[in-house]
Amino acid sequence: MKSYFKFLLVLVLPFLSISCSQVAIPEAVGPVPSERQLAWQELGYYAFIHYNMNTFTNMEWGTGGERPEQFNPSEMDVRQWAKVIKNAGMKGVIITAKHHDGFCLWPTKTTSHSVKNSPWKNGNGDVLKELSEACKELGLKFGVYLSPWDRNAANYGTPEYVADFHEQLRELLTNYGEVFEVWFDGANGGSGYYGGANETRKIDSKSYYEWDTVTEIVRQLQPNAVIFSDGGPDIRWVGTEEGFANETNWSSMRRDEIYPGWPRYVELRSGHEDGTHWLPAEVNTSIRPGWYYHPGEDHQVKSLTRLVDTYYESVGRNGNFLLNLPVDSRGLVHETDARQLMLLKEQIDADFAQELAIGVKTSATNVRGNNDTYAAKNATDGNNTSYWTTDDGVTSGSLTIDFYEPTEINRMVLQEHIPLGQRVKEFSIAAKIGEEWIQIDTQTTIGYKRILRFNTVKATAFRLDIADAKASPLISNLALYRAPNLLVPPTIQRNREGMVSLLVPEATVSVYYTLDGSEPTKESQKYERPFMVATPRMLKVIAFDTETGMVTASVSKHIDIPKAVWKVVSVSSGTPENIQNIMDENPETVWATDNMTVSPQEIVIDLGASYSVNGFTYVPSQERYPFGIMTEYAVYLSRDGQKWNLAAAGEFSNVVNSRLKQEVRFTLKKARYMKLKAIKTDGEDPRASFAEIGVLTE
Ligand code: FUL
């Protein structure tokens, strides 16, 4: 080598190494996910199935004293479940192999309390085998829920039970192929059947189950499976069963403080910014009020609006969404649940149908080492492995997407490159309308995925402003979408005074109505604000999407006289406190009598004026654990509150299983007072309960 060339190299090398170090991969910050946690995070949305002994006993928590013969589905078809799940766009399923009542859905060697002794397939069936095979066939992941608490086992509370529990886990993880998640419930209620002892047994949930051994078993038999419990070790509960994570959601927690078992569940909703371990949140909720199937909840399957919100508040808030389907006693996913799942899929698909920022000019305030490997465009290249980042020490900065043409946007998806840790602490987004930048939203964390929903803005540019991060922010994805309106029929609400509100989730959807029973069109009365309906009417309503011209089917509601001046004259027992619950037009609030001896219980109502009455309505309690539902009634009418005439008496058949509004018509009578007697109520509880009482007038 010529000496002047050597000399040049000596001069240049230090600079070369500087520029190399400037583009070195950023160092990890805080805890980072394991391979199995990363793979799990990408699943996003998958199904829970609660199907077991409780399905046949109509319970949520069986006592353990049930008999295997009670497990007897009439048309069980796991391929139907798997198809519904697949078609819904879910990536896998976790099934209750054993719930707290101890009944095992597979022919375990550890107990006789299993499908082996049930009439189903003459004791030769194995639900887990069938489901795992169906999953394999359809390309779904398969996971198991195994309750540590066992109210059937005679040896529960002893070391022998723990050995059985570990053995059950081994069976589950050995015989059914690949398992992606093992779900351990935190409930340890105490009382139970326990082989006939019928007593309360207390254990220390932190030490009794030997969690270290449990983890070893899972790691040994299914090294790729993540372990879920309230506090991990791999996946955490989100601290609520309502179906949301907090907007601030760190995937890290001070795990040693919380695992195993922890009472401070509210913190699980947000994680810990200074967490020591990667512990991302799984949002579990049911598509119905209960985890198990109850025919009485057939009319309470969650609305599309609610499901869409849950999706955005789980997947869109750095969590995974585990949606429960209570398989029914036929052994099928109920038609209504399947329909709602498909509606959700269609809406989410439509929301994210077209990514508008891909390949659009993207610039940043700072690019790490000015190097293309970390360029701004990496966030909008549709590829999640590349990312935009800044120089070390730069913990704020902006990414700008220039459309030049005004472009309508109402969703922004943001993702951090989490293999190097979750970093962003504070950010906002802005849109350029004309020459002005308008701030649309200010938020805290991003994590694996954050989805922001906002009213449609038409802008020439959009900007992500990161105000603070634990270290250089790493943004692997910034995607923009123009989601269509969520078009659902309006919800009709009426208050006690008679004011009617017609509610839709989107401001850009118009509502039209009629009050004469005719079908509404966009020529009908447009809903602007709550209005008064003082006399009996048939209200019919439609929602109309001005952007697409699409219209919903109409919904109707018979509206009768307002209850504003109604007065309860007397009740057979019970405090007048909350008595307005029976006439507040809100089926969620309940009033009940409280006397255990007076029978039948009765209520006398003064309607405030004389009406031509020809019927009455009764809404039973909609509570999760209802009591005192009226199954037989008698209604009396009076002009003066002294002399009573029987108007109708009869039975509400199936009201316990189907808690819909009950309507009784009778011959027209002039009356100002109504007396309702609960001749019979369901169950042992002698109280009578009422969510809402109404009259039908001419
Ligand atoms: C809870 C259990 O007690 C419920 O029965 C249900 O399994 C739910 C997913 O977890 O803690």
Side-chain angles (χ1 to χ4, degrees):
M1 195 183 284
K2 288 255 168 38
S3 65
Y4 72 85
F5 194 67
K6 257 191 203 160
F7 174 72
L8 253 184
L9 257 188
V10 169
L11 271 183
V12 161
L13 256 180
F15 293 102
L16 270 182
S17 68
I18 284 171
S19 75
C20 277
S21 76
Q22 277 180 343
V23 291
I25 296 178
E27 272 177 33
V29 167
V32 295
S34 62
E35 284 297 319
R36 64 173 82 87
Q37 285 169 320
L38 269 179
W40 168 86
Q41 191 83 64
E42 280 165 19
L43 298 177
Y45 173 41
Y46 42 92
F48 219 172
I49 285 205
H50 274 65
Y51 175 69
N52 206 300
M53 185 55 83
N54 293 332
T55 313
F56 302 91
T57 53
N58 207 8
M59 306 270 282
E60 278 290 306
W61 278 14
T63 62
E66 298 77 19
R67 288 164 294 108
E69 302 89 77
Q70 290 173 275
F71 183 88
N72 195 9
S74 52
E75 23 178 326
M76 191 178 125
D77 179 5
V78 295
R79 296 194 79 254
Q80 186 255 1
W81 316 353
K83 276 192 221 150
V84 167
I85 291 167
K86 181 79 184 178
N87 293 341
M90 297 162 130
K91 296 287 162 39
V93 55
I94 300 175
I95 178 152
T96 48
K98 180 184 87 168
H99 203 249
H100 312 326
D101 59 70
F103 186 77
C104 297
L105 289 182
W106 78 105
T108 172
K109 295 201 179 76
T110 60
T111 170
S112 57
H113 198 52
S114 82
V115 282
K116 194 166 60 188
N117 292 310
S118 78
W120 177 61
K121 299 204 163 171
N122 294 320
N124 296 315
D126 181 341
V127 181
L128 295 194
K129 185 161 188 293
E130 291 191 10
L131 184 60
S132 58
E133 283 171 0
C135 284
K136 208 162 171 198
E137 202 179 306
L138 292 178
L140 292 167
K141 303 263 178 201
F142 174 72
V144 289
Y145 169 119
L146 181 67
S147 170
W149 184 28
D150 189 323
R151 304 173 98 183
N152 174 264
N155 61 3
Y156 183 79
T158 68
E160 287 73 44
Y161 169 74
V162 179
D164 286 346
F165 170 58
H166 291 172
E167 191 50 32
Q168 291 173 353
L169 183 60
R170 276 191 207 97
E171 289 177 354
L172 290 178
L173 302 185
T174 310
N175 300 328
Y176 303 104
E178 171 116 20
V179 170
F180 84 102
E181 180 166 333
V182 184
W183 218 92
F184 294 116
D185 199 298
N188 278 288
S191 69
Y193 170 76
Y194 304 127
N198 286 312
E199 60 189 14
T200 296
R201 293 185 183 170
K202 290 234 156 29
I203 50 92
D204 172 15
S205 61
K206 276 183 188 285
S207 57
Y208 176 59
Y209 301 107
E210 296 173 20
W211 290 113
D212 287 349
T213 310
V214 167
T215 302
E216 258 169 52
I217 295 171
V218 179
R219 297 288 189 248
Q220 188 204 340
L221 297 173
Q222 295 283 344
N224 298 327
V226 287
I227 304 174
F228 168 98
S229 83
D230 288 2
D234 298 322
I235 306 299
R236 76 173 201 263
W237 183 43
V238 78
T240 169
E241 291 181 348
E242 290 304 305
F244 66 90
N246 279 354
E247 288 189 309
T248 299
N249 184 13
W250 291 98
S251 286
S252 54
M253 291 210 78
R254 300 186 297 272
R255 193 180 74 187
D256 293 343
E257 271 176 36
I258 68 169
Y259 176 78
W262 204 45
R264 279 154 49 194
Y265 60 87
V266 172
E267 288 170 51
L268 296 172
R269 297 178 191 175
S270 283
H272 292 147
E273 186 180 329
D274 60 352
T276 50
H277 290 76
W278 191 263
L279 201 55
E282 183 183 74
V283 179
N284 67 315
T285 193
S286 186
I287 196 163
R288 293 166 174 242
W291 290 101
Y292 278 94
Y293 177 76
H294 309 291
E297 293 177 357
D298 280 350
H299 67 298
Q300 288 178 312
V301 179
K302 285 181 180 164
S303 67
L304 176 61
T305 314
R306 177 83 192 271
L307 290 171
V308 167
D309 285 346
T310 308
Y311 184 90
Y312 277 99
E313 290 168 11
S314 54
V315 173
R317 289 185 182 172
N318 190 30
N320 269 0
F321 181 16
L322 174 60
L323 179 59
N324 181 62
L325 313 176
V327 165
D328 66 22
S329 50
R330 294 171 302 176
L332 299 173
V333 176
H334 193 276
E335 297 74 356
T336 311
D337 307 38
R339 192 185 62 226
Q340 291 307 92
L341 285 174
M342 283 316 295
L343 289 179
L344 174 62
K345 158 114 173 48
E346 283 160 21
Q347 187 67 37
I348 296 299
D349 282 355
D351 284 5
F352 301 105
Q354 207 191 345
E355 214 285 61
L356 297 167
I358 286 198
V360 175
K361 189 190 158 229
T362 309
S363 50
T365 42
N366 175 300
V367 170
R368 188 174 185 80
N370 256 331
N371 192 290
D372 238 26
T373 318
Y374 304 108
K377 65 175 175 3
N378 291 348
T380 47
D381 63 359
N383 169 3
N384 234 356
T385 51
S386 63
Y387 53 88
W388 159 69
T389 190
T390 58
D391 289 321
D392 284 340
V394 179
T395 55
S396 62
S398 303
L399 266 185
T400 305
I401 324 294
D402 273 303
F403 283 105
Y404 299 107
E405 292 293 311
T407 307
E408 287 192 356
I409 299 290
N410 54 18
R411 302 283 186 278
M412 184 184 281
V413 177
L414 294 167
Q415 294 188 267
E416 285 185 76
H417 181 70
I418 55 168
L420 296 175
Q422 186 181 350
R423 300 160 173 239
V424 175
K425 296 206 271 189
E426 208 186 313
F427 71 96
S428 58
I429 58 174
K432 192 175 179 190
I433 300 168
E435 282 314 301
E436 222 185 316
W437 280 99
I438 311 279
Q439 200 173 79
I440 301 173
D441 201 354
T442 302
Q443 290 290 337
T444 50
T445 57
I446 295 177
Y448 174 70
K449 191 181 275 183
R450 189 72 205 274
I451 311 176
L452 302 176
R453 282 191 287 183
F454 43 90
N455 289 339
T456 307
V457 283
K458 200 168 183 172
T460 49
F462 290 84
R463 205 174 64 206
L464 164 69
D465 295 313
I466 294 171
D468 197 11
K470 286 183 175 176
S472 314
L474 316 180
I475 303 300
S476 63
N477 187 23
L478 188 165
L480 297 169
Y481 300 88
R482 168 46 164 114
N485 285 320
L486 175 58
L487 189 63
V488 288
T491 306
I492 303 173
Q493 279 180 4
R494 190 196 193 211
N495 69 13
R496 208 181 148 183
E497 280 63 48
M499 294 298 279
V500 173
S501 310
L502 307 175
L503 309 171
V504 281
E506 307 268 5
T508 42
V509 166
S510 305
V511 174
Y512 296 89
Y513 66 95
T514 59
L515 282 163
D516 59 3
S518 64
E519 274 306 310
T521 65
K522 10 184 227 351
E523 316 310 323
S524 308
Q525 183 72 41
K526 187 172 180 192
Y527 176 72
E528 309 280 1
R529 64 188 67 82
F531 56 94
M532 182 72 178
V533 181
T535 50
R537 294 297 176 121
M538 178 56 82
L539 171 66
K540 289 196 167 196
V541 194
I542 52 165
F544 171 73
D545 187 341
T546 37
E547 281 160 5
T548 60
M550 279 165 71
V551 181
T552 64
S554 67
V555 276
S556 333
K557 187 180 167 101
H558 168 81
I559 292 188
D560 220 288
I561 52 168
K563 300 175 183 174
V565 296
W566 286 23
K567 274 200 188 73
V568 174
V569 178
S570 65
V571 288
S572 52
S573 75
T575 51
E577 207 185 310
N578 299 333
I579 190 84
Q580 72 280 359
N581 287 354
I582 66 167
M583 46 197 189
D584 63 357
E585 301 282 9
N586 179 2
E588 305 301 323
T589 59
V590 176
W591 178 84
T593 59
D594 69 2
N595 195 290
M596 302 296 170
T597 51
V598 180
S599 178
Q601 301 277 359
E602 65 173 44
I603 301 177
V604 178
I605 298 171
D606 174 2
L607 306 178
S610 186
Y611 294 97
S612 301
V613 182
N614 64 0
F616 89 102
T617 59
Y618 165 64
V619 180
S621 163
Q622 303 293 306
E623 289 180 341
R624 187 152 172 204
Y625 302 105
F627 65 90
I629 293 181
M630 183 165 63
T631 53
E632 279 179 35
Y633 63 87
V635 180
Y636 299 80
L637 296 173
S638 167
R639 287 170 184 253
D640 56 6
Q642 308 291 324
K643 221 174 121 252
W644 294 96
N645 288 313
L646 178 69
E651 173 188 272
F652 292 131
S653 356
N654 205 31
V655 66
V656 177
N657 279 338
S658 181
R659 289 181 277 150
L660 297 168
K661 180 180 185 177
Q662 309 289 310
E663 207 173 285
V664 175
R665 291 274 178 186
F666 43 73
T667 28
L668 195 103
K669 289 190 178 67
K670 273 260 175 240
R672 171 172 172 163
Y673 298 88
M674 176 170 79
K675 183 191 286 179
L676 176 60
K677 283 186 190 243
I679 303 294
K680 221 175 176 184
T681 56
D682 178 59
E684 301 294 298
D685 197 319
R687 293 174 294 171
S689 68
F690 310 83
E692 195 71 22
I693 294 172
V695 290
L696 301 167
T697 65
E698 205 176 46

